[in-house]
Structure formats: C-alpha cells, structure tokens
Amino acid sequence: MPLRRFRYDAKNDIVKCPRGKVLRAGSPVAHGRFFYARKRDCHRCSLASICLSKGRTSKGVVIGHDYPALLRARRRRERWSKEDQQLYQRHRWRSEGFHGEAKTWHGLARAVQGICRTSVTPSHLATALKGERRLNRYSSIGPELS
C-alpha cells in the first residue's frame, strides 16, 4: 500500500493508517523516521492482505525528513489555477529540455545524482556554457547558443 494512503501528523509525530490506527514513532534512520503499527491492529485489519508484505505481521513505514514540505507542495499544487498549470508546463519543456540538452553537450548526462551532489552539476554546466559562449564569440567552433 502506498505511503500516500497513510496520514502523517507532524504536530503529534504520529502516522495514521487508512483504517485510522496509529503508527508510533520508532528509531530514526539515515533519511527519516521509522513508524510501526501494533501487531494486533494489523492482524484484525481487513486491509492486511494488501497492506502487509509477505511474511510481515505489522506495518512499518519510513517518513522522510522533508515529508511535511512535500505534503505542503502537493497541497499547493492542487490549488493551482489553469494559468499556473500552463506556466509550469511551459517551464518544464523549456528549462528542463535546455538543461538536458546542455548536459548532453558537455558530457554531464550521467552526472552523480542526489541531494549532496545537486549543486555540482549546475556549477559545471554554468562553467561549460560560459566557456562555450566565449569560444563562440571569438571563433566559429562549437554549437550555436542563443
């Protein structure tokens, strides 16, 4: 069962399952907190067959450190007007397409991904594009950049 079906209450630091049972906070993990349900709550539940993995007797979920921000962003996106949706679609095909193409030009298509390494790729990309523009200014070598 997807995590979206569970409700996270940041104020009380609990998670509620689709049937309303409380999952208690457990030990922290590298990227969030582990929450677990009581064995007896899951045993009595009619959703246990689709909720629990094979061999499990109770449900456990990990809520990431930034999960409340993700929920806020999802709620905000649901309130977007038609104009906001069109602007975002335009942004996606223009900026993401340009960045993908530029990364391919400069050998960054398989750059290391992850939150720690995110700033490395834009910095390399910006440096490469500046060099490309200077090169184009003084010679006719390299792809056209407008």
Side-chain angles (χ1 to χ4, degrees):
M1 182 167 302
L3 184 59
R4 287 184 100 165
R5 298 279 308 269
F6 292 78
R7 298 290 170 224
Y8 177 61
D9 180 2
K11 184 178 177 183
N12 297 314
D13 199 29
I14 59 170
V15 175
K16 288 190 177 181
C17 78
R19 291 286 187 231
K21 299 296 181 182
V22 175
L23 282 72
R24 303 277 176 208
S27 58
V29 292
H31 55 280
R33 298 259 324 258
F34 185 78
F35 290 83
Y36 62 95
R38 291 187 193 118
K39 187 176 175 179
R40 70 172 181 242
D41 289 340
C42 290
H43 181 70
R44 297 176 189 165
C45 183
S46 61
L47 295 176
S49 61
I50 60 171
C51 185
L52 299 177
S53 301
K54 197 170 194 169
R56 295 285 309 214
T57 57
S58 65
K59 183 69 175 179
V61 296
V62 175
I63 301 291
H65 294 302
D66 297 327
Y67 192 68
L70 176 65
L71 292 177
R72 286 192 303 273
R74 283 180 181 160
R75 287 185 198 116
R76 196 175 309 126
R77 187 174 180 177
E78 289 172 359
R79 294 189 310 260
W80 280 3
S81 66
K82 286 286 185 192
E83 183 183 359
D84 292 334
Q85 291 172 4
Q86 289 172 342
L87 284 172
Y88 182 67
Q89 285 297 95
R90 183 172 182 250
H91 157 78
R92 283 181 61 192
W93 71 263
R94 289 186 77 192
S95 65
E96 292 178 19
F98 169 77
H99 282 93
E101 189 175 349
K103 283 169 61 177
T104 302
W105 286 344
H106 300 289
L108 297 171
R110 293 189 53 127
V112 177
Q113 294 181 354
I115 251 181
C116 300
R117 307 274 179 148
T118 304
S119 61
V120 173
T121 301
S123 130
H124 284 122
L125 181 60
T127 303
L129 289 175
K130 283 181 186 176
E132 189 91 27
R133 287 187 180 124
R134 285 185 183 146
L135 185 65
N136 282 337
R137 214 179 287 150
Y138 300 113
S139 72
S140 62
I141 300 171
E144 281 291 318
L145 292 177
S146 47

PDB file of all heavy atoms in Angstrom, residues 109-141:
ATOM      1  N   ALA A 109      25.556  14.107 -18.835  1.00  0.00           N
ATOM      2  CA  ALA A 109      24.280  13.402 -18.882  1.00  0.00           C
ATOM      3  C   ALA A 109      24.185  12.333 -17.801  1.00  0.00           C
ATOM      4  O   ALA A 109      23.113  12.028 -17.319  1.00  0.00           O
ATOM      5  CB  ALA A 109      24.070  12.771 -20.249  1.00  0.00           C
ATOM      6  N   ARG A 110      25.306  11.749 -17.407  1.00  0.00           N
ATOM      7  CA  ARG A 110      25.294  10.699 -16.391  1.00  0.00           C
ATOM      8  C   ARG A 110      25.920  11.210 -15.100  1.00  0.00           C
ATOM      9  O   ARG A 110      26.627  10.482 -14.418  1.00  0.00           O
ATOM     10  CB  ARG A 110      26.040   9.479 -16.900  1.00  0.00           C
ATOM     11  CG  ARG A 110      25.315   8.817 -18.063  1.00  0.00           C
ATOM     12  CD  ARG A 110      25.947   7.532 -18.388  1.00  0.00           C
ATOM     13  NE  ARG A 110      26.024   6.731 -17.178  1.00  0.00           N
ATOM     14  CZ  ARG A 110      25.573   5.512 -17.048  1.00  0.00           C
ATOM     15  NH1 ARG A 110      25.009   4.934 -18.055  1.00  0.00           N
ATOM     16  NH2 ARG A 110      25.688   4.850 -15.927  1.00  0.00           N
ATOM     17  N   ALA A 111      25.677  12.457 -14.767  1.00  0.00           N
ATOM     18  CA  ALA A 111      26.244  13.044 -13.555  1.00  0.00           C
ATOM     19  C   ALA A 111      25.688  12.346 -12.325  1.00  0.00           C
ATOM     20  O   ALA A 111      24.588  11.814 -12.333  1.00  0.00           O
ATOM     21  CB  ALA A 111      25.916  14.536 -13.491  1.00  0.00           C
ATOM     22  N   VAL A 112      26.457  12.369 -11.242  1.00  0.00           N
ATOM     23  CA  VAL A 112      26.023  11.760  -9.989  1.00  0.00           C
ATOM     24  C   VAL A 112      24.841  12.534  -9.459  1.00  0.00           C
ATOM     25  O   VAL A 112      24.858  13.755  -9.390  1.00  0.00           O
ATOM     26  CB  VAL A 112      27.175  11.791  -8.958  1.00  0.00           C
ATOM     27  CG1 VAL A 112      26.718  11.229  -7.630  1.00  0.00           C
ATOM     28  CG2 VAL A 112      28.368  11.028  -9.484  1.00  0.00           C
ATOM     29  N   GLN A 113      23.780  11.811  -9.104  1.00  0.00           N
ATOM     30  CA  GLN A 113      22.586  12.471  -8.609  1.00  0.00           C
ATOM     31  C   GLN A 113      22.478  12.288  -7.110  1.00  0.00           C
ATOM     32  O   GLN A 113      23.090  11.410  -6.538  1.00  0.00           O
ATOM     33  CB  GLN A 113      21.349  11.893  -9.282  1.00  0.00           C
ATOM     34  CG  GLN A 113      21.314  12.209 -10.762  1.00  0.00           C
ATOM     35  CD  GLN A 113      20.069  11.658 -11.411  1.00  0.00           C
ATOM     36  OE1 GLN A 113      19.298  10.954 -10.800  1.00  0.00           O
ATOM     37  NE2 GLN A 113      19.874  11.996 -12.672  1.00  0.00           N
ATOM     38  N   GLY A 114      21.698  13.127  -6.502  1.00  0.00           N
ATOM     39  CA  GLY A 114      21.492  13.059  -5.065  1.00  0.00           C
ATOM     40  C   GLY A 114      21.517  14.450  -4.495  1.00  0.00           C
ATOM     41  O   GLY A 114      22.029  15.385  -5.095  1.00  0.00           O
ATOM     42  N   ILE A 115      20.964  14.586  -3.312  1.00  0.00           N
ATOM     43  CA  ILE A 115      20.842  15.906  -2.707  1.00  0.00           C
ATOM     44  C   ILE A 115      22.196  16.536  -2.425  1.00  0.00           C
ATOM     45  O   ILE A 115      22.376  17.713  -2.564  1.00  0.00           O
ATOM     46  CB  ILE A 115      19.952  15.795  -1.466  1.00  0.00           C
ATOM     47  CG1 ILE A 115      18.674  16.464  -1.802  1.00  0.00           C
ATOM     48  CG2 ILE A 115      20.575  16.319  -0.226  1.00  0.00           C
ATOM     49  CD1 ILE A 115      17.626  16.564  -0.840  1.00  0.00           C
ATOM     50  N   CYS A 116      23.183  15.742  -2.054  1.00  0.00           N
ATOM     51  CA  CYS A 116      24.511  16.272  -1.733  1.00  0.00           C
ATOM     52  C   CYS A 116      25.233  16.749  -2.982  1.00  0.00           C
ATOM     53  O   CYS A 116      26.033  17.663  -2.925  1.00  0.00           O
ATOM     54  CB  CYS A 116      25.345  15.216  -1.029  1.00  0.00           C
ATOM     55  SG  CYS A 116      24.624  14.652   0.501  1.00  0.00           S
ATOM     56  N   ARG A 117      24.973  16.121  -4.127  1.00  0.00           N
ATOM     57  CA  ARG A 117      25.711  16.413  -5.344  1.00  0.00           C
ATOM     58  C   ARG A 117      24.950  17.322  -6.298  1.00  0.00           C
ATOM     59  O   ARG A 117      25.421  17.602  -7.376  1.00  0.00           O
ATOM     60  CB  ARG A 117      26.035  15.111  -6.079  1.00  0.00           C
ATOM     61  CG  ARG A 117      26.710  14.077  -5.257  1.00  0.00           C
ATOM     62  CD  ARG A 117      28.177  14.311  -5.263  1.00  0.00           C
ATOM     63  NE  ARG A 117      28.824  13.305  -4.435  1.00  0.00           N
ATOM     64  CZ  ARG A 117      30.003  12.844  -4.674  1.00  0.00           C
ATOM     65  NH1 ARG A 117      30.678  13.297  -5.688  1.00  0.00           N
ATOM     66  NH2 ARG A 117      30.545  11.961  -3.878  1.00  0.00           N
ATOM     67  N   THR A 118      23.788  17.791  -5.902  1.00  0.00           N
ATOM     68  CA  THR A 118      22.948  18.563  -6.815  1.00  0.00           C
ATOM     69  C   THR A 118      23.624  19.843  -7.269  1.00  0.00           C
ATOM     70  O   THR A 118      23.521  20.216  -8.421  1.00  0.00           O
ATOM     71  CB  THR A 118      21.604  18.904  -6.142  1.00  0.00           C
ATOM     72  OG1 THR A 118      21.006  17.698  -5.741  1.00  0.00           O
ATOM     73  CG2 THR A 118      20.684  19.619  -7.085  1.00  0.00           C
ATOM     74  N   SER A 119      24.360  20.517  -6.401  1.00  0.00           N
ATOM     75  CA  SER A 119      24.965  21.790  -6.771  1.00  0.00           C
ATOM     76  C   SER A 119      26.169  21.618  -7.688  1.00  0.00           C
ATOM     77  O   SER A 119      26.601  22.558  -8.321  1.00  0.00           O
ATOM     78  CB  SER A 119      25.373  22.558  -5.525  1.00  0.00           C
ATOM     79  OG  SER A 119      26.323  21.810  -4.800  1.00  0.00           O
ATOM     80  N   VAL A 120      26.727  20.431  -7.783  1.00  0.00           N
ATOM     81  CA  VAL A 120      27.890  20.212  -8.631  1.00  0.00           C
ATOM     82  C   VAL A 120      27.516  20.308 -10.098  1.00  0.00           C
ATOM     83  O   VAL A 120      28.177  20.980 -10.873  1.00  0.00           O
ATOM     84  CB  VAL A 120      28.531  18.834  -8.322  1.00  0.00           C
ATOM     85  CG1 VAL A 120      29.628  18.522  -9.300  1.00  0.00           C
ATOM     86  CG2 VAL A 120      29.047  18.822  -6.905  1.00  0.00           C
ATOM     87  N   THR A 121      26.447  19.677 -10.517  1.00  0.00           N
ATOM     88  CA  THR A 121      26.067  19.669 -11.916  1.00  0.00           C
ATOM     89  C   THR A 121      25.733  21.067 -12.446  1.00  0.00           C
ATOM     90  O   THR A 121      26.268  21.453 -13.471  1.00  0.00           O
ATOM     91  CB  THR A 121      24.897  18.696 -12.153  1.00  0.00           C
ATOM     92  OG1 THR A 121      25.317  17.400 -11.753  1.00  0.00           O
ATOM     93  CG2 THR A 121      24.489  18.663 -13.594  1.00  0.00           C
ATOM     94  N   PRO A 122      24.903  21.879 -11.774  1.00  0.00           N
ATOM     95  CA  PRO A 122      24.642  23.226 -12.294  1.00  0.00           C
ATOM     96  C   PRO A 122      25.900  24.081 -12.372  1.00  0.00           C
ATOM     97  O   PRO A 122      26.075  24.857 -13.300  1.00  0.00           O
ATOM     98  CB  PRO A 122      23.644  23.813 -11.294  1.00  0.00           C
ATOM     99  CG  PRO A 122      22.975  22.641 -10.702  1.00  0.00           C
ATOM    100  CD  PRO A 122      24.020  21.564 -10.669  1.00  0.00           C
ATOM    101  N   SER A 123      26.802  23.896 -11.422  1.00  0.00           N
ATOM    102  CA  SER A 123      28.040  24.671 -11.436  1.00  0.00           C
ATOM    103  C   SER A 123      28.906  24.273 -12.628  1.00  0.00           C
ATOM    104  O   SER A 123      29.440  25.120 -13.331  1.00  0.00           O
ATOM    105  CB  SER A 123      28.757  24.476 -10.106  1.00  0.00           C
ATOM    106  OG  SER A 123      30.081  24.148 -10.267  1.00  0.00           O
ATOM    107  N   HIS A 124      29.025  22.980 -12.893  1.00  0.00           N
ATOM    108  CA  HIS A 124      29.776  22.529 -14.071  1.00  0.00           C
ATOM    109  C   HIS A 124      29.103  23.001 -15.355  1.00  0.00           C
ATOM    110  O   HIS A 124      29.770  23.430 -16.296  1.00  0.00           O
ATOM    111  CB  HIS A 124      29.885  20.996 -14.092  1.00  0.00           C
ATOM    112  CG  HIS A 124      30.882  20.455 -13.136  1.00  0.00           C
ATOM    113  ND1 HIS A 124      30.545  19.562 -12.160  1.00  0.00           N
ATOM    114  CD2 HIS A 124      32.201  20.683 -12.999  1.00  0.00           C
ATOM    115  CE1 HIS A 124      31.622  19.259 -11.463  1.00  0.00           C
ATOM    116  NE2 HIS A 124      32.635  19.921 -11.954  1.00  0.00           N
ATOM    117  N   LEU A 125      27.801  22.912 -15.382  1.00  0.00           N
ATOM    118  CA  LEU A 125      27.042  23.317 -16.560  1.00  0.00           C
ATOM    119  C   LEU A 125      27.226  24.806 -16.831  1.00  0.00           C
ATOM    120  O   LEU A 125      27.476  25.207 -17.969  1.00  0.00           O
ATOM    121  CB  LEU A 125      25.573  22.984 -16.381  1.00  0.00           C
ATOM    122  CG  LEU A 125      24.638  23.308 -17.533  1.00  0.00           C
ATOM    123  CD1 LEU A 125      25.063  22.567 -18.780  1.00  0.00           C
ATOM    124  CD2 LEU A 125      23.217  22.948 -17.169  1.00  0.00           C
ATOM    125  N   ALA A 126      27.130  25.626 -15.804  1.00  0.00           N
ATOM    126  CA  ALA A 126      27.292  27.076 -15.974  1.00  0.00           C
ATOM    127  C   ALA A 126      28.689  27.410 -16.481  1.00  0.00           C
ATOM    128  O   ALA A 126      28.860  28.239 -17.379  1.00  0.00           O
ATOM    129  CB  ALA A 126      27.020  27.790 -14.653  1.00  0.00           C
ATOM    130  N   THR A 127      29.697  26.764 -15.938  1.00  0.00           N
ATOM    131  CA  THR A 127      31.075  26.996 -16.375  1.00  0.00           C
ATOM    132  C   THR A 127      31.248  26.599 -17.835  1.00  0.00           C
ATOM    133  O   THR A 127      31.856  27.329 -18.619  1.00  0.00           O
ATOM    134  CB  THR A 127      32.057  26.200 -15.495  1.00  0.00           C
ATOM    135  OG1 THR A 127      31.851  26.574 -14.142  1.00  0.00           O
ATOM    136  CG2 THR A 127      33.487  26.466 -15.887  1.00  0.00           C
ATOM    137  N   ALA A 128      30.724  25.445 -18.199  1.00  0.00           N
ATOM    138  CA  ALA A 128      30.840  24.973 -19.576  1.00  0.00           C
ATOM    139  C   ALA A 128      30.123  25.909 -20.543  1.00  0.00           C
ATOM    140  O   ALA A 128      30.636  26.225 -21.616  1.00  0.00           O
ATOM    141  CB  ALA A 128      30.284  23.566 -19.690  1.00  0.00           C
ATOM    142  N   LEU A 129      28.936  26.376 -20.172  1.00  0.00           N
ATOM    143  CA  LEU A 129      28.191  27.271 -21.057  1.00  0.00           C
ATOM    144  C   LEU A 129      28.874  28.623 -21.210  1.00  0.00           C
ATOM    145  O   LEU A 129      28.894  29.199 -22.301  1.00  0.00           O
ATOM    146  CB  LEU A 129      26.759  27.455 -20.550  1.00  0.00           C
ATOM    147  CG  LEU A 129      25.858  26.237 -20.705  1.00  0.00           C
ATOM    148  CD1 LEU A 129      24.508  26.499 -20.066  1.00  0.00           C
ATOM    149  CD2 LEU A 129      25.701  25.845 -22.147  1.00  0.00           C
ATOM    150  N   LYS A 130      29.471  29.139 -20.135  1.00  0.00           N
ATOM    151  CA  LYS A 130      30.198  30.408 -20.240  1.00  0.00           C
ATOM    152  C   LYS A 130      31.381  30.267 -21.189  1.00  0.00           C
ATOM    153  O   LYS A 130      31.635  31.125 -22.028  1.00  0.00           O
ATOM    154  CB  LYS A 130      30.677  30.857 -18.860  1.00  0.00           C
ATOM    155  CG  LYS A 130      29.611  31.459 -18.005  1.00  0.00           C
ATOM    156  CD  LYS A 130      30.179  31.895 -16.670  1.00  0.00           C
ATOM    157  CE  LYS A 130      29.084  32.377 -15.745  1.00  0.00           C
ATOM    158  NZ  LYS A 130      29.616  32.706 -14.418  1.00  0.00           N
ATOM    159  N   GLY A 131      32.106  29.168 -21.036  1.00  0.00           N
ATOM    160  CA  GLY A 131      33.239  28.915 -21.925  1.00  0.00           C
ATOM    161  C   GLY A 131      32.792  28.765 -23.364  1.00  0.00           C
ATOM    162  O   GLY A 131      33.444  29.266 -24.291  1.00  0.00           O
ATOM    163  N   GLU A 132      31.689  28.085 -23.564  1.00  0.00           N
ATOM    164  CA  GLU A 132      31.142  27.882 -24.907  1.00  0.00           C
ATOM    165  C   GLU A 132      30.771  29.217 -25.539  1.00  0.00           C
ATOM    166  O   GLU A 132      31.056  29.462 -26.706  1.00  0.00           O
ATOM    167  CB  GLU A 132      29.907  26.995 -24.789  1.00  0.00           C
ATOM    168  CG  GLU A 132      29.352  26.521 -26.092  1.00  0.00           C
ATOM    169  CD  GLU A 132      29.953  25.206 -26.510  1.00  0.00           C
ATOM    170  OE1 GLU A 132      30.378  24.443 -25.642  1.00  0.00           O
ATOM    171  OE2 GLU A 132      29.981  24.963 -27.713  1.00  0.00           O
ATOM    172  N   ARG A 133      30.141  30.082 -24.775  1.00  0.00           N
ATOM    173  CA  ARG A 133      29.737  31.397 -25.310  1.00  0.00           C
ATOM    174  C   ARG A 133      30.956  32.248 -25.658  1.00  0.00           C
ATOM    175  O   ARG A 133      30.977  32.932 -26.683  1.00  0.00           O
ATOM    176  CB  ARG A 133      28.844  32.113 -24.303  1.00  0.00           C
ATOM    177  CG  ARG A 133      27.464  31.487 -24.252  1.00  0.00           C
ATOM    178  CD  ARG A 133      26.512  32.290 -23.397  1.00  0.00           C
ATOM    179  NE  ARG A 133      25.216  31.629 -23.410  1.00  0.00           N
ATOM    180  CZ  ARG A 133      24.574  31.233 -22.333  1.00  0.00           C
ATOM    181  NH1 ARG A 133      25.079  31.460 -21.146  1.00  0.00           N
ATOM    182  NH2 ARG A 133      23.412  30.632 -22.435  1.00  0.00           N
ATOM    183  N   ARG A 134      31.972  32.214 -24.805  1.00  0.00           N
ATOM    184  CA  ARG A 134      33.206  32.965 -25.104  1.00  0.00           C
ATOM    185  C   ARG A 134      33.869  32.422 -26.365  1.00  0.00           C
ATOM    186  O   ARG A 134      34.348  33.179 -27.196  1.00  0.00           O
ATOM    187  CB  ARG A 134      34.163  32.888 -23.920  1.00  0.00           C
ATOM    188  CG  ARG A 134      33.739  33.751 -22.782  1.00  0.00           C
ATOM    189  CD  ARG A 134      34.762  33.751 -21.683  1.00  0.00           C
ATOM    190  NE  ARG A 134      34.274  34.538 -20.582  1.00  0.00           N
ATOM    191  CZ  ARG A 134      34.516  34.287 -19.318  1.00  0.00           C
ATOM    192  NH1 ARG A 134      35.270  33.256 -18.989  1.00  0.00           N
ATOM    193  NH2 ARG A 134      34.038  35.052 -18.381  1.00  0.00           N
ATOM    194  N   LEU A 135      33.903  31.100 -26.467  1.00  0.00           N
ATOM    195  CA  LEU A 135      34.501  30.472 -27.634  1.00  0.00           C
ATOM    196  C   LEU A 135      33.736  30.855 -28.896  1.00  0.00           C
ATOM    197  O   LEU A 135      34.341  31.156 -29.926  1.00  0.00           O
ATOM    198  CB  LEU A 135      34.508  28.950 -27.455  1.00  0.00           C
ATOM    199  CG  LEU A 135      35.197  28.128 -28.526  1.00  0.00           C
ATOM    200  CD1 LEU A 135      36.697  28.447 -28.519  1.00  0.00           C
ATOM    201  CD2 LEU A 135      34.990  26.652 -28.262  1.00  0.00           C
ATOM    202  N   ASN A 136      32.414  30.858 -28.822  1.00  0.00           N
ATOM    203  CA  ASN A 136      31.600  31.229 -29.975  1.00  0.00           C
ATOM    204  C   ASN A 136      31.777  32.692 -30.356  1.00  0.00           C
ATOM    205  O   ASN A 136      31.655  33.053 -31.519  1.00  0.00           O
ATOM    206  CB  ASN A 136      30.122  30.950 -29.723  1.00  0.00           C
ATOM    207  CG  ASN A 136      29.785  29.490 -29.862  1.00  0.00           C
ATOM    208  OD1 ASN A 136      30.498  28.751 -30.530  1.00  0.00           O
ATOM    209  ND2 ASN A 136      28.712  29.065 -29.219  1.00  0.00           N
ATOM    210  N   ARG A 137      32.051  33.512 -29.371  1.00  0.00           N
ATOM    211  CA  ARG A 137      32.231  34.933 -29.636  1.00  0.00           C
ATOM    212  C   ARG A 137      33.490  35.182 -30.476  1.00  0.00           C
ATOM    213  O   ARG A 137      33.521  36.062 -31.311  1.00  0.00           O
ATOM    214  CB  ARG A 137      32.340  35.675 -28.304  1.00  0.00           C
ATOM    215  CG  ARG A 137      31.734  37.053 -28.358  1.00  0.00           C
ATOM    216  CD  ARG A 137      31.815  37.762 -27.031  1.00  0.00           C
ATOM    217  NE  ARG A 137      30.866  37.174 -26.087  1.00  0.00           N
ATOM    218  CZ  ARG A 137      31.040  37.130 -24.777  1.00  0.00           C
ATOM    219  NH1 ARG A 137      32.130  37.625 -24.240  1.00  0.00           N
ATOM    220  NH2 ARG A 137      30.145  36.603 -24.002  1.00  0.00           N
ATOM    221  N   TYR A 138      34.530  34.389 -30.228  1.00  0.00           N
ATOM    222  CA  TYR A 138      35.815  34.624 -30.879  1.00  0.00           C
ATOM    223  C   TYR A 138      36.147  33.653 -32.005  1.00  0.00           C
ATOM    224  O   TYR A 138      37.129  33.807 -32.686  1.00  0.00           O
ATOM    225  CB  TYR A 138      36.928  34.583 -29.845  1.00  0.00           C
ATOM    226  CG  TYR A 138      36.743  35.644 -28.780  1.00  0.00           C
ATOM    227  CD1 TYR A 138      36.458  35.286 -27.481  1.00  0.00           C
ATOM    228  CD2 TYR A 138      36.819  37.002 -29.098  1.00  0.00           C
ATOM    229  CE1 TYR A 138      36.258  36.245 -26.495  1.00  0.00           C
ATOM    230  CE2 TYR A 138      36.622  37.957 -28.127  1.00  0.00           C
ATOM    231  CZ  TYR A 138      36.338  37.579 -26.819  1.00  0.00           C
ATOM    232  OH  TYR A 138      36.141  38.533 -25.875  1.00  0.00           O
ATOM    233  N   SER A 139      35.321  32.641 -32.198  1.00  0.00           N
ATOM    234  CA  SER A 139      35.570  31.704 -33.304  1.00  0.00           C
ATOM    235  C   SER A 139      34.249  31.078 -33.729  1.00  0.00           C
ATOM    236  O   SER A 139      33.224  31.299 -33.138  1.00  0.00           O
ATOM    237  CB  SER A 139      36.557  30.628 -32.862  1.00  0.00           C
ATOM    238  OG  SER A 139      35.934  29.752 -31.952  1.00  0.00           O
ATOM    239  N   SER A 140      34.313  30.261 -34.725  1.00  0.00           N
ATOM    240  CA  SER A 140      33.093  29.598 -35.194  1.00  0.00           C
ATOM    241  C   SER A 140      33.050  28.144 -34.773  1.00  0.00           C
ATOM    242  O   SER A 140      32.315  27.361 -35.344  1.00  0.00           O
ATOM    243  CB  SER A 140      33.017  29.717 -36.729  1.00  0.00           C
ATOM    244  OG  SER A 140      34.129  29.060 -37.290  1.00  0.00           O
ATOM    245  N   ILE A 141      33.822  27.743 -33.763  1.00  0.00           N
ATOM    246  CA  ILE A 141      33.854  26.359 -33.288  1.00  0.00           C
ATOM    247  C   ILE A 141      32.785  26.178 -32.202  1.00  0.00           C
ATOM    248  O   ILE A 141      32.596  27.036 -31.360  1.00  0.00           O
ATOM    249  CB  ILE A 141      35.244  26.001 -32.707  1.00  0.00           C
ATOM    250  CG1 ILE A 141      36.300  26.161 -33.783  1.00  0.00           C
ATOM    251  CG2 ILE A 141      35.252  24.601 -32.141  1.00  0.00           C
ATOM    252  CD1 ILE A 141      37.705  26.033 -33.267  1.00  0.00           C
TER     253      ILE A 141
END
